Structures are given as C-alpha cells and as structure tokens.
Amino acid sequence: MRSTSGRRNTAAAVRFEPAVPHQPTAAVVRDADAPVASTESLAAVAADPTYVSRETPTREEDDPPLAMEAMRAVQILNPSGEVTMPRPDRTRVMSVANQKGGVGKTTTTVNLAVALALHGNRVLVVDLDPQGNASTGLNVPHHAGIPDVYDCLINSVPLAEVAQAVEGIPNLWCVPATIDLAGAEIELVSVVARESRLDRAIAAYPGEFDYVFIDCPPSLGLLTVNALVAAQEVLIPIQCEYYALEGLNQLINNINLVRQHLNPKLDVSTILLTMYDRRTRLADAVEQDVRNHFGDKVLQAVIPRNVRVSEAPSYGQSVMTYDPGSRGATSYFEAAQEIAERGVKEPVGRNA
C-alpha cells in the first residue's frame, strides 16, 4: 500500500514553495483600447499652471495635525509684533461681570487681554477680585505689602503708581489685587462718592489704552458697582449649565439700575459662552436659549472645556502663551478678534 506521508510531504512542499513573481505580458501592460498620451500633450499639461492632479493632496490633507497646530500657534503668538487686530478710536473700558462664581470671568479677562496685547493693542487689566486670580494668571506679584487697587480706591493713590508691566507680553499692564481688598467694601461705605472711585482713577491715568478690562468679584457689592460705573461695556461670561442662567436675570437688573442712576452709558455689549461641552445636550440647549434671548450680543466664538486653559495659571501664564496651539487658545483668540472687530474700527497702521 502506498504511504500517505509521501503525499503530505509533497503537499507541504507545494504549499511552502516560494512564489515566483509573474512578469506581466505586453497585453497586460498596455491596454489596446486606452489612448496613449503623446509627449507633446504631457508637456502641455505640465506647462499649465492651473492644472492640479487628482492625486495632489489638498492643504488640509497634506499638513499633518502637528503642522496645523504650529501654524495656529504662530498666528496667535504673532512674533512679528504687527498690529493685526483693529484698534478702537477710543478707550474701551469693559467690566467682566457675573455674580456666579466659577463661570470663567478671570480666565476670560486674562486670555482676552493677552490676545489683544499680542496683536498690537495697549491693554490694562484691573484685578478687582480680592482673590487676586487675574494677577496670578499674569504672573504679577500681589502678596501683602504690594501697592494694589485697594490703595487706589481707599487712599486715592494714582493708578499709574500701582500698575505693573506684565513680563513677556508687550503692551500689557496689570493693576494687582491683594488680600487687603477683602475689606474694601466695608471701608468704602463711609467714603464720599464711593461708587465712582475706580472711574476717577482710570480717567486720571496719564497713559492711553485701547482696552481696560476690569475683573469683577463674584458678587454684586460695592466693588462690582465701582466696576460698572467705570465701564462703558459689560462682558458677561456664561457657563453652559443651568445654574449659570438662573442668576443672570438678577445681574441684568443690577446693570439696569446702575445705568439709570449712575452710568447712563453702560451697555451689555458682549456675551461669551464658556465651558462648552459638545457631548451634552444641555450645552446646546443653554447656547440656544442665550442666543435667542441676547441675539447678536453673543459672540460666535464659544470657549470649550479644555484642560490647557485650567493648567496655564499654575505656571503663571495665560493659555495663549502656555499652549498657543490648543483648542482653548484658538477659541479665546477668535473671541478677542471678534470683540476687536465689533468695536469702533480704525486703520491697522495707526501710529502708536
């Protein structure tokens, strides 16, 4: 009887025999029905500057994500120092206010100020929150004994003697806040013209700014009233959650009272949606409610939840300089650009 092992060995040998590549025949290489391009036609196509092959990738397909992120970073940092955002023809004093805490007032103040300063605007940040977080975010010393906004409000110290230049950011200054500011509301009760102390301090500043951002505390006390009297515009950051909407009506009522009795020029000019989480329906619902109620006052730019935005203050930086290619930095850059374009425009080439 014939052994089956021989057949198995033969099959194994056939199965593991290395494949020999088949050489294509002339019939395979050349399809008789396909037209053959002549050398002259190929040369004509190559000479046409408008010709783009379908195999040529687009800019978005060709650039890897890291390259796109680097391009965004260069755009945000603006190393050339050119004035790329329009400068207003007058100083725009904006109070960043919301009596609810944790909605992004300080983060918005710091990042918008840095974005505008990096792109040619002269910006002053007044830290009116006793916690001093805006001073921390700009890496400005604000420990006990440092001249601060308290001295301007209570002791009438000129703002120019208190303002500090922000290191590494040209055209940006900050008036810090120390823990002394915590008792300012009680001390202001007996001061003459207590509601307009900050307004007079800003008006007496000898320098000229394009923007003055006032970071308000999370309350509706005398410090916030001072900020609303000193400002022409109010920027309200709104967290995309229900609790942020609940107290908004009270804030609007207080702004209307200040407008009627103390500052008729005050206007809620800007609403910025912060901490937007695209994964939740709640964020979409809050956004639609806010846009339906405030209309064009709501910026098209929306600030997403981004860990880089939260990390930056621990390094004494804004997200614009900490990670300029991140989604948080890009969103704040777009918001700053939108605010600049909404203001009174002036030709970019204005002499400083």
Side-chain angles (χ1 to χ4, degrees):
M1 180 179 291
R2 196 174 187 179
S3 173
T4 58
S5 62
R7 288 201 300 270
R8 284 198 299 267
N9 293 338
T10 305
V14 172
R15 187 166 59 248
F16 292 103
E17 181 180 357
V20 179
H22 296 284
Q23 297 298 327
T25 62
V28 175
V29 173
R30 178 174 175 182
D31 188 354
D33 296 332
V36 179
S38 65
T39 306
E40 291 79 4
S41 62
L42 291 175
V45 169
D48 184 6
T50 62
Y51 173 76
V52 178
S53 170
R54 288 182 298 175
E55 300 298 324
T56 303
T58 62
R59 179 63 178 270
E60 290 76 11
E61 295 171 347
D62 191 29
D63 288 341
L66 285 177
M68 297 298 294
E69 184 174 337
M71 290 173 60
R72 291 197 302 269
V74 171
Q75 181 187 19
I76 290 172
L77 291 176
N78 190 27
S80 65
E82 297 179 359
V83 181
T84 58
M85 289 186 184
R87 293 169 59 183
D89 57 353
R90 59 175 178 82
T91 302
R92 297 179 65 184
V93 183
M94 305 184 73
S95 288
V96 184
N98 193 329
Q99 83 275 14
K100 185 181 184 305
V103 298
K105 292 186 298 294
T106 300
T107 302
T108 296
T109 301
V110 168
N111 288 296
L112 290 180
V114 171
L116 289 164
L118 287 174
H119 290 263
N121 287 267
R122 292 168 293 193
V123 184
L124 174 68
V125 173
V126 179
D127 190 354
L128 209 59
D129 188 347
Q131 298 176 86
N133 290 337
S135 306
T136 300
L138 295 173
N139 198 26
V140 173
H142 59 101
H143 53 79
I146 293 288
D148 70 330
V149 69
Y150 171 87
D151 298 313
C152 301
L153 296 176
I154 305 300
N155 302 322
S156 300
V157 174
L159 209 62
E161 297 182 10
V162 177
Q164 302 182 37
V166 177
E167 184 180 359
I169 309 294
N171 304 317
L172 181 59
W173 291 263
C174 176
V175 177
T178 66
I179 193 62
D180 295 338
L181 193 60
E185 293 206 12
I186 298 175
E187 296 182 47
L188 280 172
V189 171
S190 59
V191 175
V192 177
R194 58 192 180 189
E195 299 92 354
S196 58
R197 303 285 288 184
L198 182 61
D199 181 32
R200 287 186 289 178
I202 293 175
Y205 197 94
E208 182 181 347
F209 295 103
D210 296 307
Y211 292 88
V212 176
F213 287 100
I214 306 174
D215 183 30
C216 297
S219 68
L220 296 174
L222 270 176
L223 290 178
T224 301
V225 171
N226 261 270
L228 295 177
V229 172
Q232 297 106 28
E233 304 177 49
V234 181
L235 188 158
I236 305 178
I238 299 179
Q239 184 181 4
C240 292
E241 293 189 4
Y242 174 74
Y243 283 148
L245 293 177
E246 195 174 26
L248 192 58
N249 189 42
Q250 185 181 358
L251 174 63
I252 298 298
N253 290 338
N254 279 43
I255 292 173
N256 289 335
L257 287 173
V258 172
R259 183 190 298 118
Q260 292 172 11
H261 300 286
L262 297 170
N263 183 10
K265 296 181 179 179
L266 187 64
D267 178 47
V268 179
S269 64
T270 309
I271 307 291
L272 178 63
L273 296 170
T274 62
M275 304 182 193
Y276 180 83
D277 191 345
R278 68 182 66 186
R279 299 170 299 178
T280 64
R281 294 183 180 179
L282 176 62
D284 289 334
V286 171
E287 179 183 8
Q288 291 304 318
D289 287 346
V290 172
R291 292 191 185 278
N292 291 336
H293 188 271
F294 290 99
D296 294 338
K297 292 184 178 181
V298 185
L299 296 180
Q300 293 301 315
V302 176
I303 310 303
R305 286 192 178 274
N306 185 244
V307 69
R308 295 300 192 188
V309 175
S310 303
E311 287 177 356
S314 63
Y315 293 89
Q317 297 184 51
S318 67
V319 72
M320 314 301 294
T321 54
Y322 175 67
D323 189 355
S326 64
R327 288 192 304 118
T330 303
S331 300
Y332 271 116
F333 170 76
E334 293 172 353
Q337 197 166 31
E338 199 170 343
I339 289 173
E341 291 172 354
R342 287 185 174 194
V344 179
K345 295 184 179 180
E346 184 164 320
V348 168
R350 184 175 78 169
N351 294 327

